[in-house]
Amino acid sequence: FRFGVRIEILAMKISFRISNLSKVYEMGEEKVIALDNISLEVPEGDYVAIMGPSGSGKSTLLNILGCLDRPTKGNYLLSGESVEKMNDQELSALRAKSIGFIFQSYNLIPYLNVVENISLPASYEKKSSLDFARAEELAEIVGLGDRVSHRPLQLSGGQQQRVGIARSLSNDPSFILADEPTGNLDSKTTSEILELLEDLNQKGKTIILVTHEE
Ligand code: ADP
Ligand code: MG
């Protein structure tokens, strides 16, 4: 019995587990094998970097891990739940609850200000009024407490990515997936953003980072 309990605890420590996963894009006659038989385990609380040349399937992998896309073949366990068995609605719910995304090009809504952009994912999930107090707190955490009413175009690239990071936190996800988040930033801003991610990892977030930064 004790042994059984122990196994359960160990199993819970793995947050992402993919096995023999492939993704093939079919473009008419042509097939693009973006991922070919990949296996990967990421324990809870880990901070993992995925590196590789352009076109090697990094974004494809991250999109599948983030439940934005499905594999062609293979298994994917997210926090012990088998993702391929879920329908689109269950997948969206799981994504909204547990995953935060950060993008290279920030993907902010230009006509919304900082707090509105940050509170967007939370407003999708709860389908209720936007939680601006929470968004202001998050703006403070990423160092934008004095920019809450600015719109994206009134901010520098680094500040926009801080908004992107704050937005990724708005559902209080356990996992953060970042796809080249510093790809458009200079080296000083890059280290500031990486410091912010490091800090989130110290606070317990599991992070998978696609990057070119050694
Ligand atoms: P990376 O992020 O490492 O640059 P991607 O995952 O974006 O690589 O792409 C991997 C391969 O899959 C590339 O050859 C790309 O052209 C192809 N690819 C990516 N997305 C699609 C898609 N939606 N349809 C067809 N081919 C795609
Ligand atoms: Mg990419």
Side-chain angles (χ1 to χ4, degrees):
F1 176 68
R2 275 179 139 188
F3 188 59
V5 170
R6 188 168 150 67
I7 285 185
E8 201 172 304
I9 292 166
L10 283 175
M12 277 173 55
K13 287 280 177 218
I14 304 291
S15 55
F16 297 90
R17 186 203 299 257
I18 59 176
S19 6
N20 307 110
L21 190 126
S22 296
K23 177 71 180 182
V24 180
Y25 294 109
E26 306 228 7
M27 313 273 293
E29 297 281 276
E30 206 186 333
K31 284 186 179 177
V32 177
I33 303 172
L35 296 174
D36 191 5
N37 220 27
I38 305 270
S39 296
L40 172 74
E41 271 182 18
V42 181
E44 221 169 87
D46 211 348
Y47 187 171
V48 173
I50 297 176
M51 305 183 77
S54 182
S56 60
K58 304 182 300 295
S59 295
T60 301
L61 177 60
L62 217 59
N63 289 344
I64 291 172
L65 290 173
C67 306
L68 294 169
D69 201 356
R70 291 176 183 271
T72 311
K73 176 181 112 14
N75 297 106
Y76 174 20
L77 282 178
L78 173 58
S79 293
E81 294 188 69
S82 190
V83 166
E84 57 270 10
K85 290 191 190 117
M86 294 181 199
N87 62 33
D88 285 351
Q89 216 171 355
E90 292 169 321
L91 217 55
S92 304
L94 180 66
R95 185 174 61 227
K97 189 175 60 140
S98 49
I99 295 172
F101 249 98
I102 304 170
F103 305 91
Q104 175 173 356
S105 45
Y106 325 127
N107 291 6
L108 304 177
I109 311 278
Y111 55 84
L112 297 180
N113 69 24
V114 167
V115 268
E116 289 163 344
N117 265 290
I118 294 174
S119 53
L120 216 50
S123 70
Y124 285 139
E125 192 195 16
K126 298 191 195 90
K127 296 189 176 70
S128 63
S129 61
L130 303 177
D131 188 350
F132 288 144
R134 164 91 180 129
E136 276 183 31
E137 237 172 75
L138 289 171
E140 196 78 48
I141 287 171
V142 297
L144 288 177
D146 54 351
R147 293 286 189 280
V148 290
S149 302
H150 282 55
R151 295 189 182 196
L153 287 175
Q154 299 168 326
L155 299 169
S156 70
Q159 290 170 330
Q160 290 186 56
Q161 193 55 294
R162 286 169 188 273
V163 178
I165 292 174
R167 180 187 54 192
S168 81
L169 296 171
S170 72
N171 288 333
D172 197 21
S174 315
F175 313 121
I176 294 184
L177 305 178
D179 196 353
E180 303 195 45
T182 60
N184 293 344
L185 302 174
D186 60 56
S187 58
K188 177 170 175 289
T189 315
T190 290
S191 5
E192 288 168 9
I193 293 296
L194 291 179
E195 231 166 78
L196 206 50
L197 291 176
E198 180 84 48
D199 199 44
L200 291 173
N201 178 244
Q202 304 266 313
K203 288 176 183 150
K205 305 285 186 202
T206 307
I207 300 181
I208 300 183
L209 170 72
V210 168
T211 183
H212 291 293
E213 303 289 336
E214 286 287 347

CSV table of all heavy atoms in Angstrom, one decimal, residues 158 162 182 185-196 213:
chain,number,residue,atom,x,y,z
A,158,GLY,N,10.4,45.9,-25.0
A,158,GLY,CA,10.5,45.2,-23.8
A,158,GLY,C,9.3,45.3,-22.9
A,158,GLY,O,8.9,44.4,-22.2
A,162,ARG,N,6.7,42.6,-21.4
A,162,ARG,CA,6.3,42.5,-20.0
A,162,ARG,C,4.7,42.4,-19.9
A,162,ARG,O,4.2,41.6,-19.0
A,162,ARG,CB,6.7,43.8,-19.2
A,162,ARG,CG,8.2,43.8,-18.9
A,162,ARG,CD,8.7,45.1,-18.4
A,162,ARG,NE,10.1,45.2,-18.4
A,162,ARG,CZ,10.8,44.7,-17.3
A,162,ARG,NH1,10.2,44.3,-16.2
A,162,ARG,NH2,12.1,44.8,-17.3
A,182,THR,N,12.3,36.6,-26.4
A,182,THR,CA,13.2,37.7,-26.5
A,182,THR,C,13.8,37.9,-27.9
A,182,THR,O,14.7,38.7,-28.2
A,182,THR,CB,14.4,37.4,-25.6
A,182,THR,OG1,15.1,36.2,-26.0
A,182,THR,CG2,13.9,37.3,-24.1
A,185,LEU,N,14.1,41.5,-29.1
A,185,LEU,CA,14.6,42.5,-28.1
A,185,LEU,C,16.1,42.6,-28.1
A,185,LEU,O,16.8,41.6,-28.5
A,185,LEU,CB,14.1,42.0,-26.7
A,185,LEU,CG,12.6,41.9,-26.6
A,185,LEU,CD1,12.2,41.3,-25.2
A,185,LEU,CD2,11.9,43.2,-26.8
A,186,ASP,N,16.6,43.7,-27.7
A,186,ASP,CA,18.1,43.9,-27.6
A,186,ASP,C,18.6,43.2,-26.4
A,186,ASP,O,17.8,42.6,-25.6
A,186,ASP,CB,18.4,45.4,-27.5
A,186,ASP,CG,17.8,46.1,-26.3
A,186,ASP,OD1,18.0,45.6,-25.1
A,186,ASP,OD2,17.0,47.1,-26.4
A,187,SER,N,19.9,43.1,-26.2
A,187,SER,CA,20.5,42.2,-25.2
A,187,SER,C,20.2,42.6,-23.8
A,187,SER,O,20.0,41.7,-22.9
A,187,SER,CB,22.0,42.0,-25.5
A,187,SER,OG,22.6,43.2,-25.4
A,188,LYS,N,20.1,43.9,-23.5
A,188,LYS,CA,19.9,44.3,-22.2
A,188,LYS,C,18.4,44.0,-21.8
A,188,LYS,O,18.2,43.4,-20.7
A,188,LYS,CB,20.1,45.9,-22.0
A,188,LYS,CG,19.8,46.4,-20.7
A,188,LYS,CD,20.2,47.9,-20.5
A,188,LYS,CE,19.8,48.5,-19.2
A,188,LYS,NZ,18.3,48.7,-19.2
A,189,THR,N,17.5,44.3,-22.7
A,189,THR,CA,16.1,44.0,-22.4
A,189,THR,C,15.9,42.5,-22.3
A,189,THR,O,15.1,42.0,-21.5
A,189,THR,CB,15.2,44.6,-23.6
A,189,THR,OG1,15.6,45.9,-23.8
A,189,THR,CG2,13.8,44.6,-23.1
A,190,THR,N,16.6,41.7,-23.2
A,190,THR,CA,16.6,40.3,-23.1
A,190,THR,C,16.9,39.8,-21.7
A,190,THR,O,16.2,39.0,-21.2
A,190,THR,CB,17.6,39.7,-24.2
A,190,THR,OG1,17.0,39.9,-25.5
A,190,THR,CG2,17.7,38.2,-24.0
A,191,SER,N,18.0,40.3,-21.1
A,191,SER,CA,18.4,39.8,-19.8
A,191,SER,C,17.3,40.2,-18.8
A,191,SER,O,17.1,39.4,-17.8
A,191,SER,CB,19.8,40.2,-19.3
A,191,SER,OG,20.4,41.1,-20.2
A,192,GLU,N,16.7,41.3,-18.9
A,192,GLU,CA,15.6,41.7,-18.0
A,192,GLU,C,14.4,40.8,-18.1
A,192,GLU,O,13.9,40.3,-17.1
A,192,GLU,CB,15.2,43.2,-18.3
A,192,GLU,CG,16.2,44.2,-17.9
A,192,GLU,CD,15.8,45.6,-18.4
A,192,GLU,OE1,14.7,45.8,-19.0
A,192,GLU,OE2,16.7,46.5,-18.3
A,193,ILE,N,14.1,40.4,-19.3
A,193,ILE,CA,12.9,39.5,-19.5
A,193,ILE,C,13.3,38.1,-19.0
A,193,ILE,O,12.5,37.5,-18.3
A,193,ILE,CB,12.5,39.5,-21.0
A,193,ILE,CG1,12.0,40.8,-21.5
A,193,ILE,CG2,11.6,38.3,-21.3
A,193,ILE,CD1,10.7,41.2,-20.8
A,194,LEU,N,14.5,37.7,-19.2
A,194,LEU,CA,14.9,36.3,-18.8
A,194,LEU,C,15.0,36.3,-17.2
A,194,LEU,O,14.6,35.3,-16.6
A,194,LEU,CB,16.3,35.9,-19.4
A,194,LEU,CG,16.3,35.7,-20.9
A,194,LEU,CD1,17.7,35.3,-21.4
A,194,LEU,CD2,15.3,34.6,-21.2
A,195,GLU,N,15.3,37.4,-16.6
A,195,GLU,CA,15.3,37.5,-15.2
A,195,GLU,C,13.9,37.4,-14.6
A,195,GLU,O,13.7,36.7,-13.6
A,195,GLU,CB,15.9,38.9,-14.8
A,195,GLU,CG,17.0,38.9,-13.7
A,195,GLU,CD,17.7,40.2,-13.6
A,195,GLU,OE1,17.1,41.1,-13.0
A,195,GLU,OE2,18.7,40.4,-14.2
A,196,LEU,N,13.0,38.0,-15.3
A,196,LEU,CA,11.6,37.9,-14.9
A,196,LEU,C,11.1,36.5,-15.0
A,196,LEU,O,10.4,36.0,-14.1
A,196,LEU,CB,10.8,38.8,-15.9
A,196,LEU,CG,9.4,39.4,-15.4
A,196,LEU,CD1,9.6,40.1,-14.1
A,196,LEU,CD2,9.0,40.4,-16.5
A,213,GLU,N,19.0,32.1,-27.2
A,213,GLU,CA,20.0,32.7,-26.3
A,213,GLU,C,20.7,31.6,-25.5
A,213,GLU,O,20.1,30.9,-24.7
A,213,GLU,CB,19.2,33.6,-25.2
A,213,GLU,CG,18.4,34.7,-25.8
A,213,GLU,CD,19.3,35.8,-26.4
A,213,GLU,OE1,20.5,35.9,-25.9
A,213,GLU,OE2,18.8,36.5,-27.3
